[in-house]
Amino acid sequence: MVQSWPVACRRCWHPLNFLIVANTGDDFRYLGLPISPDLDSIMYALAGVSDEIRGWGRSTESWRCMETLAELGADSWFQLGDRDLATHILRNEALANSRSLTTATASLCQRLGVRHELIPMSDQPVATKIQTDCGNMAFQHYFVREKCEPPLRSVIFDGADRAPYNPRIDDFLSRWARPFVVICPSNPVLSVDPILALPGMRALLDTLPVIAVSPLVDGRAIKGPAAKIMGELGLSVSAVGIAEYYQGLVDVMVIDRLDESLAPDIEALGMDVCVADTLMTSPDKRRLLAEHILKFMHDVER
Amino acid sequence: MVQSWPVACRRCWHPLNFLIVANTGDDFRYLGLPISPDLDSIMYALAGVSDEIRGWGRSTESWRCMETLAELGADSWFQLGDRDLATHILRNEALANSRSLTTATASLCQRLGVRHELIPMSDQPVATKIQTDCGNMAFQHYFVREKCEPPLRSVIFDGADRAPYNPRIDDFLSRWARPFVVICPSNPVLSVDPILALPGMRALLDTLPVIAVSPLVDGRAIKGPAAKIMGELGLSVSAVGIAEYYQGLVDVMVIDRLDESLAPDIEALGMDVCVADTLMTSPDKRRLLAEHILKFMHDVER
């Protein structure tokens, strides 16, 4: 007897049923401290302490240390709040004591009360570098200091060829009969490609069902420069463009209801389409989207 | 013709006429950051940003990062303000980039607008360790976490025998015809002895006039645990006890007017005595004490 959906779903929500793998190509040293923007964004979101309005960093933040650093003539183009700094100080201490980034992240998650397992894609450093019409630059210089303004030509993931993907991924997969992969609505070029660039990652994903949520809705990015960058790379700036980018990797594309008319074009690429409300503007909407995806995969399995 | 005192004095005030050597036996790593309490206290005082009421750290301070670290279950017994943190972050960055503590300190002083040359006693680490009736402990554990409460038996300067004194000291001395040394009113056991423990330091001081300001006035310490510790070590808790401690090293003891009656006892130890107002409760009083000492040494030379 197959369990009814609500029961299966409640079981699905257990935090240990998820392994969250974050891009670390954006990581860099800033003022000597190791910064992991994607790990932190996910960690803060899961801990319920992220600043929803600013879109990055911690809520109820202050900037006294940063103001003082600026007074002292130090770099201040990348803003670290006083509360956020605590994260980087603890990560710095852990790494200085020869802990891995995986261990440091687990400790930070535990301190913040995050029950999900969040891991870096690799414990080896990978540095995303952007080649633009205005020269080559490190990721955060492009993304934060230059506000993604220089037209992007190509992206390099420096060190990716020597960075084994996190062994926790294989551990996790070995515990489940029918695991599947969700690529969250994220920039495919800047945030997903670094993970795919790790040796063996594409081959691993070829063995698994992969479902990707389009980061473009109605031809626009929900957040960030995905639309601008896809245009600069000559890609179609729409959920179809995302599907084309992921062709051969992704089995199911999740697109927004506003893009429902694009479903035939995506199905023509050999993918299934799942139509959902993908704008996660509230905790409820986040949960509904996740439920929608889990239910879709559950129904596919049956 | 000998210059009159006011002219000589104005020339004396030029910052480059001073080399300030700080104890680094109190230094330690805290939350992974390199903390140099004595260097910072002097630097903040010279920059005019120290908190006179609290007695340590920076003025107009806030504690948001520390509060967050405490929320996250990290150590918080040693308080680092948000503004003070900027100092430790920049020092950490400099040391991580293989700069010496001397270079890191010079850079911080320059950023804070300090014109005097302030240097660590050595670029090699020395760790003051306290042997107490409650066991042995690192200096800051004794001084801050235990508030100097455990009775002190003895003090060890771990690494001092392998720590050459800062070569800037010889450079500086070689530039002056008649240099002299001032030991500021400081704890002789905890703050001055680490400097004296460096190889060659006592031999160097034997070649120079040395003037020491008593940290005890009327049998009490102006600040800190000097009186308590001297009692625990069986020393006389007075300016005479200080003079006895420094006998053979110091040529002139500066004592407070309140202790003028002790002058014969100190002279009997073979030292000259300079009586002054030693309570530096305002910038004016600081300057007057310094002028008094410079004038005394100037008159001695004539």
Side-chain angles (χ1 to χ4, degrees), chain A residues 277-300:
Chain A
D277 284 321
T278 64
L279 291 181
M280 293 182 278
T281 49
S282 71
D284 271 354
K285 289 200 161 188
R286 270 188 218 126
R287 176 173 277 261
L288 282 170
L289 176 59
E291 279 178 358
H292 195 106
I293 290 171
L294 290 177
K295 182 163 187 326
F296 186 93
M297 294 308 278
H298 186 259
D299 292 347
V300 165

PDB file of all heavy atoms in Angstrom, chain A residues 277-300:
ATOM      1  N   ASP A 277       3.580  28.006  -8.490  1.00  0.00           N
ATOM      2  CA  ASP A 277       3.854  29.385  -8.072  1.00  0.00           C
ATOM      3  C   ASP A 277       5.286  29.408  -7.554  1.00  0.00           C
ATOM      4  O   ASP A 277       5.575  28.874  -6.486  1.00  0.00           O
ATOM      5  CB  ASP A 277       2.892  29.813  -6.958  1.00  0.00           C
ATOM      6  CG  ASP A 277       1.519  30.131  -7.508  1.00  0.00           C
ATOM      7  OD1 ASP A 277       1.441  30.731  -8.591  1.00  0.00           O
ATOM      8  OD2 ASP A 277       0.526  29.754  -6.854  1.00  0.00           O
ATOM      9  N   THR A 278       6.186  30.011  -8.310  1.00  0.00           N
ATOM     10  CA  THR A 278       7.606  29.923  -7.925  1.00  0.00           C
ATOM     11  C   THR A 278       8.106  31.164  -7.189  1.00  0.00           C
ATOM     12  O   THR A 278       9.255  31.184  -6.760  1.00  0.00           O
ATOM     13  CB  THR A 278       8.508  29.687  -9.165  1.00  0.00           C
ATOM     14  OG1 THR A 278       8.406  30.824 -10.025  1.00  0.00           O
ATOM     15  CG2 THR A 278       8.114  28.427  -9.896  1.00  0.00           C
ATOM     16  N   LEU A 279       7.237  32.195  -7.056  1.00  0.00           N
ATOM     17  CA  LEU A 279       7.682  33.402  -6.354  1.00  0.00           C
ATOM     18  C   LEU A 279       7.590  33.169  -4.844  1.00  0.00           C
ATOM     19  O   LEU A 279       6.500  33.166  -4.287  1.00  0.00           O
ATOM     20  CB  LEU A 279       6.834  34.600  -6.755  1.00  0.00           C
ATOM     21  CG  LEU A 279       7.027  35.074  -8.193  1.00  0.00           C
ATOM     22  CD1 LEU A 279       6.163  36.290  -8.485  1.00  0.00           C
ATOM     23  CD2 LEU A 279       8.490  35.390  -8.463  1.00  0.00           C
ATOM     24  N   MET A 280       8.739  32.986  -4.194  1.00  0.00           N
ATOM     25  CA  MET A 280       8.739  32.651  -2.767  1.00  0.00           C
ATOM     26  C   MET A 280       8.806  33.922  -1.941  1.00  0.00           C
ATOM     27  O   MET A 280       9.813  34.246  -1.324  1.00  0.00           O
ATOM     28  CB  MET A 280       9.913  31.717  -2.467  1.00  0.00           C
ATOM     29  CG  MET A 280       9.727  30.363  -3.146  1.00  0.00           C
ATOM     30  SD  MET A 280      11.078  29.225  -2.771  1.00  0.00           S
ATOM     31  CE  MET A 280      12.303  29.744  -3.951  1.00  0.00           C
ATOM     32  N   THR A 281       7.689  34.645  -1.922  1.00  0.00           N
ATOM     33  CA  THR A 281       7.662  35.946  -1.253  1.00  0.00           C
ATOM     34  C   THR A 281       7.289  35.852   0.233  1.00  0.00           C
ATOM     35  O   THR A 281       7.242  36.871   0.910  1.00  0.00           O
ATOM     36  CB  THR A 281       6.675  36.884  -1.976  1.00  0.00           C
ATOM     37  OG1 THR A 281       5.447  36.163  -2.151  1.00  0.00           O
ATOM     38  CG2 THR A 281       7.228  37.311  -3.325  1.00  0.00           C
ATOM     39  N   SER A 282       7.028  34.670   0.720  1.00  0.00           N
ATOM     40  CA  SER A 282       6.707  34.494   2.146  1.00  0.00           C
ATOM     41  C   SER A 282       7.087  33.075   2.543  1.00  0.00           C
ATOM     42  O   SER A 282       7.236  32.205   1.688  1.00  0.00           O
ATOM     43  CB  SER A 282       5.215  34.723   2.384  1.00  0.00           C
ATOM     44  OG  SER A 282       4.475  33.635   1.832  1.00  0.00           O
ATOM     45  N   PRO A 283       7.230  32.819   3.852  1.00  0.00           N
ATOM     46  CA  PRO A 283       7.531  31.451   4.288  1.00  0.00           C
ATOM     47  C   PRO A 283       6.485  30.456   3.783  1.00  0.00           C
ATOM     48  O   PRO A 283       6.826  29.349   3.368  1.00  0.00           O
ATOM     49  CB  PRO A 283       7.516  31.567   5.816  1.00  0.00           C
ATOM     50  CG  PRO A 283       7.861  32.992   6.093  1.00  0.00           C
ATOM     51  CD  PRO A 283       7.255  33.775   4.972  1.00  0.00           C
ATOM     52  N   ASP A 284       5.196  30.862   3.783  1.00  0.00           N
ATOM     53  CA  ASP A 284       4.146  29.969   3.304  1.00  0.00           C
ATOM     54  C   ASP A 284       4.357  29.611   1.835  1.00  0.00           C
ATOM     55  O   ASP A 284       4.200  28.456   1.428  1.00  0.00           O
ATOM     56  CB  ASP A 284       2.777  30.641   3.460  1.00  0.00           C
ATOM     57  CG  ASP A 284       2.169  30.359   4.824  1.00  0.00           C
ATOM     58  OD1 ASP A 284       2.768  29.548   5.582  1.00  0.00           O
ATOM     59  OD2 ASP A 284       1.123  30.952   5.141  1.00  0.00           O
ATOM     60  N   LYS A 285       4.718  30.616   1.053  1.00  0.00           N
ATOM     61  CA  LYS A 285       4.893  30.361  -0.380  1.00  0.00           C
ATOM     62  C   LYS A 285       6.101  29.467  -0.638  1.00  0.00           C
ATOM     63  O   LYS A 285       6.097  28.672  -1.575  1.00  0.00           O
ATOM     64  CB  LYS A 285       5.028  31.694  -1.129  1.00  0.00           C
ATOM     65  CG  LYS A 285       3.715  32.458  -1.184  1.00  0.00           C
ATOM     66  CD  LYS A 285       3.746  33.479  -2.297  1.00  0.00           C
ATOM     67  CE  LYS A 285       2.304  33.891  -2.638  1.00  0.00           C
ATOM     68  NZ  LYS A 285       2.247  34.748  -3.832  1.00  0.00           N
ATOM     69  N   ARG A 286       7.119  29.617   0.217  1.00  0.00           N
ATOM     70  CA  ARG A 286       8.285  28.741   0.112  1.00  0.00           C
ATOM     71  C   ARG A 286       7.890  27.288   0.356  1.00  0.00           C
ATOM     72  O   ARG A 286       8.260  26.392  -0.385  1.00  0.00           O
ATOM     73  CB  ARG A 286       9.321  29.131   1.171  1.00  0.00           C
ATOM     74  CG  ARG A 286      10.280  30.148   0.708  1.00  0.00           C
ATOM     75  CD  ARG A 286      11.395  30.334   1.733  1.00  0.00           C
ATOM     76  NE  ARG A 286      11.690  31.742   1.757  1.00  0.00           N
ATOM     77  CZ  ARG A 286      11.702  32.513   2.812  1.00  0.00           C
ATOM     78  NH1 ARG A 286      11.485  31.996   4.011  1.00  0.00           N
ATOM     79  NH2 ARG A 286      11.947  33.787   2.715  1.00  0.00           N
ATOM     80  N   ARG A 287       7.116  27.132   1.422  1.00  0.00           N
ATOM     81  CA  ARG A 287       6.703  25.779   1.793  1.00  0.00           C
ATOM     82  C   ARG A 287       5.801  25.176   0.705  1.00  0.00           C
ATOM     83  O   ARG A 287       5.941  24.001   0.363  1.00  0.00           O
ATOM     84  CB  ARG A 287       5.978  25.846   3.142  1.00  0.00           C
ATOM     85  CG  ARG A 287       5.398  24.531   3.620  1.00  0.00           C
ATOM     86  CD  ARG A 287       4.861  24.640   5.030  1.00  0.00           C
ATOM     87  NE  ARG A 287       5.918  24.478   6.012  1.00  0.00           N
ATOM     88  CZ  ARG A 287       6.161  23.321   6.651  1.00  0.00           C
ATOM     89  NH1 ARG A 287       5.422  22.246   6.402  1.00  0.00           N
ATOM     90  NH2 ARG A 287       7.141  23.232   7.524  1.00  0.00           N
ATOM     91  N   LEU A 288       4.898  25.995   0.176  1.00  0.00           N
ATOM     92  CA  LEU A 288       3.988  25.490  -0.858  1.00  0.00           C
ATOM     93  C   LEU A 288       4.756  25.034  -2.092  1.00  0.00           C
ATOM     94  O   LEU A 288       4.441  23.996  -2.687  1.00  0.00           O
ATOM     95  CB  LEU A 288       2.965  26.570  -1.239  1.00  0.00           C
ATOM     96  CG  LEU A 288       1.808  26.741  -0.245  1.00  0.00           C
ATOM     97  CD1 LEU A 288       0.990  27.987  -0.594  1.00  0.00           C
ATOM     98  CD2 LEU A 288       0.911  25.485  -0.261  1.00  0.00           C
ATOM     99  N   LEU A 289       5.781  25.804  -2.477  1.00  0.00           N
ATOM    100  CA  LEU A 289       6.573  25.424  -3.655  1.00  0.00           C
ATOM    101  C   LEU A 289       7.306  24.107  -3.388  1.00  0.00           C
ATOM    102  O   LEU A 289       7.318  23.207  -4.243  1.00  0.00           O
ATOM    103  CB  LEU A 289       7.559  26.535  -4.031  1.00  0.00           C
ATOM    104  CG  LEU A 289       8.507  26.216  -5.203  1.00  0.00           C
ATOM    105  CD1 LEU A 289       7.709  25.896  -6.480  1.00  0.00           C
ATOM    106  CD2 LEU A 289       9.480  27.376  -5.468  1.00  0.00           C
ATOM    107  N   ALA A 290       7.889  23.999  -2.201  1.00  0.00           N
ATOM    108  CA  ALA A 290       8.612  22.768  -1.868  1.00  0.00           C
ATOM    109  C   ALA A 290       7.655  21.578  -1.868  1.00  0.00           C
ATOM    110  O   ALA A 290       7.961  20.508  -2.410  1.00  0.00           O
ATOM    111  CB  ALA A 290       9.285  22.914  -0.506  1.00  0.00           C
ATOM    112  N   GLU A 291       6.458  21.758  -1.280  1.00  0.00           N
ATOM    113  CA  GLU A 291       5.460  20.686  -1.262  1.00  0.00           C
ATOM    114  C   GLU A 291       5.058  20.301  -2.682  1.00  0.00           C
ATOM    115  O   GLU A 291       4.918  19.116  -3.006  1.00  0.00           O
ATOM    116  CB  GLU A 291       4.214  21.142  -0.487  1.00  0.00           C
ATOM    117  CG  GLU A 291       4.374  21.030   1.011  1.00  0.00           C
ATOM    118  CD  GLU A 291       3.140  21.536   1.750  1.00  0.00           C
ATOM    119  OE1 GLU A 291       2.185  21.996   1.100  1.00  0.00           O
ATOM    120  OE2 GLU A 291       3.158  21.472   2.993  1.00  0.00           O
ATOM    121  N   HIS A 292       4.884  21.323  -3.505  1.00  0.00           N
ATOM    122  CA  HIS A 292       4.490  21.099  -4.890  1.00  0.00           C
ATOM    123  C   HIS A 292       5.532  20.214  -5.601  1.00  0.00           C
ATOM    124  O   HIS A 292       5.190  19.262  -6.304  1.00  0.00           O
ATOM    125  CB  HIS A 292       4.349  22.450  -5.582  1.00  0.00           C
ATOM    126  CG  HIS A 292       3.611  22.392  -6.874  1.00  0.00           C
ATOM    127  ND1 HIS A 292       2.315  22.855  -7.020  1.00  0.00           N
ATOM    128  CD2 HIS A 292       3.970  21.909  -8.093  1.00  0.00           C
ATOM    129  CE1 HIS A 292       1.921  22.657  -8.266  1.00  0.00           C
ATOM    130  NE2 HIS A 292       2.907  22.100  -8.944  1.00  0.00           N
ATOM    131  N   ILE A 293       6.801  20.541  -5.386  1.00  0.00           N
ATOM    132  CA  ILE A 293       7.881  19.788  -6.051  1.00  0.00           C
ATOM    133  C   ILE A 293       7.946  18.361  -5.496  1.00  0.00           C
ATOM    134  O   ILE A 293       8.052  17.384  -6.258  1.00  0.00           O
ATOM    135  CB  ILE A 293       9.230  20.523  -5.859  1.00  0.00           C
ATOM    136  CG1 ILE A 293       9.221  21.815  -6.681  1.00  0.00           C
ATOM    137  CG2 ILE A 293      10.412  19.626  -6.253  1.00  0.00           C
ATOM    138  CD1 ILE A 293      10.403  22.735  -6.399  1.00  0.00           C
ATOM    139  N   LEU A 294       7.862  18.230  -4.170  1.00  0.00           N
ATOM    140  CA  LEU A 294       7.915  16.886  -3.571  1.00  0.00           C
ATOM    141  C   LEU A 294       6.752  16.036  -4.071  1.00  0.00           C
ATOM    142  O   LEU A 294       6.911  14.864  -4.393  1.00  0.00           O
ATOM    143  CB  LEU A 294       7.889  16.995  -2.032  1.00  0.00           C
ATOM    144  CG  LEU A 294       9.145  17.577  -1.374  1.00  0.00           C
ATOM    145  CD1 LEU A 294       8.950  17.683   0.130  1.00  0.00           C
ATOM    146  CD2 LEU A 294      10.376  16.728  -1.682  1.00  0.00           C
ATOM    147  N   LYS A 295       5.561  16.657  -4.123  1.00  0.00           N
ATOM    148  CA  LYS A 295       4.388  15.910  -4.574  1.00  0.00           C
ATOM    149  C   LYS A 295       4.549  15.497  -6.038  1.00  0.00           C
ATOM    150  O   LYS A 295       4.238  14.365  -6.418  1.00  0.00           O
ATOM    151  CB  LYS A 295       3.132  16.766  -4.392  1.00  0.00           C
ATOM    152  CG  LYS A 295       1.839  16.050  -4.792  1.00  0.00           C
ATOM    153  CD  LYS A 295       0.628  16.744  -4.235  1.00  0.00           C
ATOM    154  CE  LYS A 295      -0.651  15.940  -4.478  1.00  0.00           C
ATOM    155  NZ  LYS A 295      -0.699  15.178  -5.708  1.00  0.00           N
ATOM    156  N   PHE A 296       5.087  16.403  -6.834  1.00  0.00           N
ATOM    157  CA  PHE A 296       5.297  16.102  -8.251  1.00  0.00           C
ATOM    158  C   PHE A 296       6.232  14.898  -8.385  1.00  0.00           C
ATOM    159  O   PHE A 296       5.948  13.949  -9.129  1.00  0.00           O
ATOM    160  CB  PHE A 296       5.887  17.323  -8.963  1.00  0.00           C
ATOM    161  CG  PHE A 296       6.009  17.163 -10.447  1.00  0.00           C
ATOM    162  CD1 PHE A 296       4.992  17.589 -11.300  1.00  0.00           C
ATOM    163  CD2 PHE A 296       7.142  16.571 -11.023  1.00  0.00           C
ATOM    164  CE1 PHE A 296       5.104  17.421 -12.672  1.00  0.00           C
ATOM    165  CE2 PHE A 296       7.254  16.405 -12.401  1.00  0.00           C
ATOM    166  CZ  PHE A 296       6.231  16.831 -13.223  1.00  0.00           C
ATOM    167  N   MET A 297       7.332  14.899  -7.662  1.00  0.00           N
ATOM    168  CA  MET A 297       8.300  13.805  -7.758  1.00  0.00           C
ATOM    169  C   MET A 297       7.697  12.514  -7.205  1.00  0.00           C
ATOM    170  O   MET A 297       7.973  11.419  -7.713  1.00  0.00           O
ATOM    171  CB  MET A 297       9.587  14.161  -7.007  1.00  0.00           C
ATOM    172  CG  MET A 297      10.353  15.328  -7.631  1.00  0.00           C
ATOM    173  SD  MET A 297      10.701  15.159  -9.401  1.00  0.00           S
ATOM    174  CE  MET A 297      12.181  14.122  -9.369  1.00  0.00           C
ATOM    175  N   HIS A 298       6.885  12.657  -6.160  1.00  0.00           N
ATOM    176  CA  HIS A 298       6.221  11.506  -5.564  1.00  0.00           C
ATOM    177  C   HIS A 298       5.276  10.867  -6.579  1.00  0.00           C
ATOM    178  O   HIS A 298       5.252   9.651  -6.777  1.00  0.00           O
ATOM    179  CB  HIS A 298       5.459  11.991  -4.318  1.00  0.00           C
ATOM    180  CG  HIS A 298       4.833  10.895  -3.527  1.00  0.00           C
ATOM    181  ND1 HIS A 298       3.484  10.598  -3.605  1.00  0.00           N
ATOM    182  CD2 HIS A 298       5.359  10.014  -2.635  1.00  0.00           C
ATOM    183  CE1 HIS A 298       3.226   9.594  -2.788  1.00  0.00           C
ATOM    184  NE2 HIS A 298       4.337   9.218  -2.189  1.00  0.00           N
ATOM    185  N   ASP A 299       4.495  11.710  -7.284  1.00  0.00           N
ATOM    186  CA  ASP A 299       3.540  11.213  -8.273  1.00  0.00           C
ATOM    187  C   ASP A 299       4.270  10.574  -9.452  1.00  0.00           C
ATOM    188  O   ASP A 299       3.832   9.555  -9.985  1.00  0.00           O
ATOM    189  CB  ASP A 299       2.652  12.360  -8.774  1.00  0.00           C
ATOM    190  CG  ASP A 299       1.715  12.858  -7.677  1.00  0.00           C
ATOM    191  OD1 ASP A 299       1.590  12.157  -6.648  1.00  0.00           O
ATOM    192  OD2 ASP A 299       1.139  13.935  -7.851  1.00  0.00           O
ATOM    193  N   VAL A 300       5.396  11.172  -9.843  1.00  0.00           N
ATOM    194  CA  VAL A 300       6.179  10.620 -10.953  1.00  0.00           C
ATOM    195  C   VAL A 300       6.640   9.207 -10.601  1.00  0.00           C
ATOM    196  O   VAL A 300       6.559   8.289 -11.417  1.00  0.00           O
ATOM    197  CB  VAL A 300       7.407  11.523 -11.257  1.00  0.00           C
ATOM    198  CG1 VAL A 300       8.413  10.788 -12.139  1.00  0.00           C
ATOM    199  CG2 VAL A 300       6.965  12.827 -11.923  1.00  0.00           C
TER     200      VAL A 300
END
